[in-house]
Amino acid sequence: MTAGFCVINPEGRDDLRHFSAGAGSPGDAGHPPVNYHAYAACHSGSFLRSVEDIPTTTGGALVLLRKRNLRAILKTLAELKARGVTSLISLKESGSHQVADFLNDTGRASLFRRICTMADGFLSSTPELVSLYRSAGCRGGFFAPTPYPMEDQAWDFSIPLHERSGIFVGTREFRVPSRNHWHAVALAVYLAGRHRIPLTVVNSEGRHDRKLLEGFQSPSVDLRIIEGRMPYPEYLRMMARHRIVLQLDGSAVPGQVAGDALLCRMPCLGGNGAVDRLAFGAPSENPSEVASRLITEDTFWNEQVDSALERARKHLAFSAVR
């Protein structure tokens, strides 16, 4: 796909966003150029909610599927075909647990097959879902990871290593078994106590998760619980103050936690998302040992970050995915 590419989220709640300047500035209003917005941003395209909003120069569109918009998707695909616009489809929630829930309904499964046969192809944000789209009837398509503006200095949130300290836990949801969030927090607490460093966890899930996190508190561990959500640039600046990002997410997601770590120029350990594997390699069988080395060995830390950034620029940068 060249210029004239957009992403459409029919009946979605995200505001319309034109990425005429590509990634733009972290201070720009609207959704940042990450996740599915990044597919539009890397083409200097648009993120829209309906076909009526697409520019006349649009030659290709990625249409996002959700549990509650499938009939709107069929209408959108028909309208794109009438306009001569090439249509690709992609599941907006593409973790293994989310896809299983999406297809655990006969009506949705039937509509999904109809959509796959009607679209011109698919764009899969994870390699695991390529076979799903093909077996459901898509005529063609490919895996393309969600890109990150690695070549844009404005999106470099790095700070010197000597100003970093502690562990940042990348996951949040205790209720999703494949996130392995309890295990990740427990491991981070152990490492923080062992190395006498601070530990930060974000709680955006309310009182239930707050109580679970408070159960990890002890006099020997500096556990910092950040409540609620924050603006994306502020979140990245907070993440960058740490030495490593730790997670044990086995959900086969696109990998935004790892992508955020790349923008902060820091290691992300333990996840199996698409971005995780492309930039940081397969999850270690001994994450505790690797984390300890990243915490205590500056040379090893720098080597791991440099190799991750090299792979990211080759496979995940806007120019590479475009």
Side-chain angles (χ1 to χ4, degrees):
M1 294 282 178
T2 55
F5 182 70
C6 68
V7 178
I8 306 177
N9 183 22
E11 299 183 349
R13 290 182 290 183
D14 289 309
D15 292 334
L16 182 149
R17 179 82 199 269
H18 295 296
F19 292 98
S20 56
S25 167
D28 292 345
H31 196 288
V34 296
N35 292 330
Y36 290 89
H37 283 70
Y39 291 128
C42 78
H43 282 279
S44 298
S46 302
F47 190 97
L48 312 169
R49 287 189 290 191
S50 70
V51 175
E52 286 70 27
D53 296 324
I54 66 174
T56 56
T57 56
T58 299
L62 174 65
V63 185
L64 302 181
L65 281 61
R66 306 187 326 275
K67 288 170 63 173
R68 296 177 178 83
N69 77 340
L70 299 185
R71 295 196 179 278
I73 294 292
L74 291 170
K75 180 174 180 288
T76 297
L77 292 176
E79 292 172 343
L80 289 172
K81 184 176 182 180
R83 291 188 179 211
V85 176
T86 300
S87 62
L88 302 177
I89 58 169
S90 189
L91 289 162
K92 191 172 188 292
E93 304 292 342
S94 51
S96 57
H97 60 290
Q98 296 162 322
V99 175
D101 178 62
F102 177 89
L103 295 174
N104 190 29
D105 178 273
T106 55
R108 282 199 300 268
S110 177
L111 284 171
F112 178 63
R113 293 190 186 94
R114 285 179 60 189
I115 289 167
C116 285
T117 57
M118 188 173 181
D120 293 311
F122 67 86
L123 188 161
S124 180
S125 59
T126 68
E128 286 78 10
L129 295 185
V130 170
S131 61
L132 174 72
Y133 293 112
R134 288 175 176 167
S135 60
C138 277
R139 288 168 285 178
F142 51 90
F143 159 63
T146 50
Y148 286 83
M150 301 303 301
E151 57 273 80
D152 193 332
Q153 186 62 33
W155 287 90
D156 181 350
F157 281 77
S158 62
I159 64 174
L161 180 55
H162 69 268
E163 296 180 14
R164 300 175 184 258
S165 176
I167 303 169
F168 182 84
V169 177
T171 46
R172 303 183 189 184
E173 300 167 300
F174 283 112
R175 295 174 178 83
V176 179
S178 58
R179 294 288 194 202
N180 295 310
H181 185 47
W182 197 98
H183 185 184
V185 176
L187 176 58
V189 167
Y190 163 75
L191 291 166
R194 177 183 175 185
H195 297 287
R196 300 181 182 276
I197 56 176
L199 160 64
T200 302
V201 184
V202 174
N203 174 39
S204 59
E205 307 300 314
R207 181 182 299 178
H208 174 270
D209 285 19
R210 172 78 189 197
K211 287 186 175 181
L212 285 172
L213 289 171
E214 288 174 346
F216 289 99
Q217 290 179 325
S218 73
S220 62
V221 176
D222 181 9
L223 173 58
R224 304 168 183 179
I225 302 174
I226 307 296
E227 293 289 347
R229 300 183 181 276
M230 60 182 68
Y232 188 58
E234 183 180 338
Y235 173 79
L236 292 178
R237 293 186 188 99
M238 183 266 293
M239 176 185 281
R241 292 195 292 269
H242 299 79
R243 181 121 177 170
I244 65 170
V245 178
L246 177 67
Q247 61 171 334
L248 299 174
D249 194 344
S251 304
V253 292
Q256 185 182 341
V257 173
D260 294 342
L262 288 171
L263 295 180
C264 295
R265 307 312 197 248
M266 63 192 297
C268 182
L269 178 68
N272 75 339
V275 173
D276 301 69
R277 285 173 286 169
L278 284 169
F280 298 102
S284 169
E285 294 182 1
N286 193 342
S288 179
E289 179 181 340
V290 176
S292 291
R293 291 192 65 190
L294 290 168
I295 290 167
T296 60
E297 300 178 25
D298 289 356
T299 299
F300 182 65
W301 189 95
N302 282 308
E303 289 172 350
Q304 295 302 302
V305 171
D306 288 345
S307 61
L309 293 178
E310 182 179 353
R311 291 190 292 268
R313 293 185 183 104
K314 182 177 180 180
H315 300 292
L316 296 163
F318 271 26
S319 56
V321 175
R322 181 173 61 245

